[in-house]
Amino acid sequence: NINPKIINKIRTEFQTDPSFTPAKIAKASSAAEGLCKWVIAMEQYDRVAKIVAPKKAALAVAEEELTAANKVLQGLRDALK
């Protein structure tokens, strides 16, 4: 993931600046416009990744529990035969 210091700097210095939009920056340089879009996308990715990561971990735990429960269930089914 992205260093928290860098993300904090992006959020405080760049995203609060009303002129930090791809449309406004494109007037100066198309390359800078691309970088602006990339910076915005990386900030959004970081925000979403922090929401998704705990959910992925919980999913992995739930899948392990499901696998264990299915093994027990299969054992009980086999015992009934």
Side-chain angles (χ1 to χ4, degrees), residues 7 13 17 22 24-27 38 55 60 66 68 73 75 78-79:
I7 287 296
E13 292 183 22
D17 185 355
K24 288 185 181 180
I25 291 178
K27 294 176 185 175
W38 180 79
K55 292 179 181 182
L66 177 62
L73 178 60
D78 291 343

Side-chain angles (χ1 to χ4, degrees), residues 40-75:
I40 292 168
M42 289 296 100
E43 188 279 328
Q44 290 173 345
Y45 167 81
D46 183 72
R47 198 169 359 102
V48 170
K50 288 179 180 173
I51 294 168
V52 172
K55 292 179 181 182
K56 279 186 175 181
L59 175 62
V61 169
E63 286 176 337
E64 288 176 11
E65 291 173 358
L66 177 62
T67 301
N70 281 337
K71 286 180 182 179
V72 170
L73 178 60
Q74 188 60 43

Side-chain angles (χ1 to χ4, degrees), residues 4-37:
K5 289 181 182 179
I6 294 171
I7 287 296
N8 189 40
K9 189 169 189 170
I10 289 170
R11 289 181 179 144
T12 57
E13 292 183 22
F14 294 104
Q15 289 197 323
T16 57
D17 185 355
S19 64
F20 190 72
T21 63
K24 288 185 181 180
I25 291 178
K27 294 176 185 175
S29 164
S30 62
E33 176 191 17
L35 287 173
C36 176
K37 288 179 180 179

Side-chain angles (χ1 to χ4, degrees), residues 74-81:
Q74 188 60 43
L76 293 172
R77 285 181 178 162
D78 291 343
L80 288 174
K81 288 184 182 178

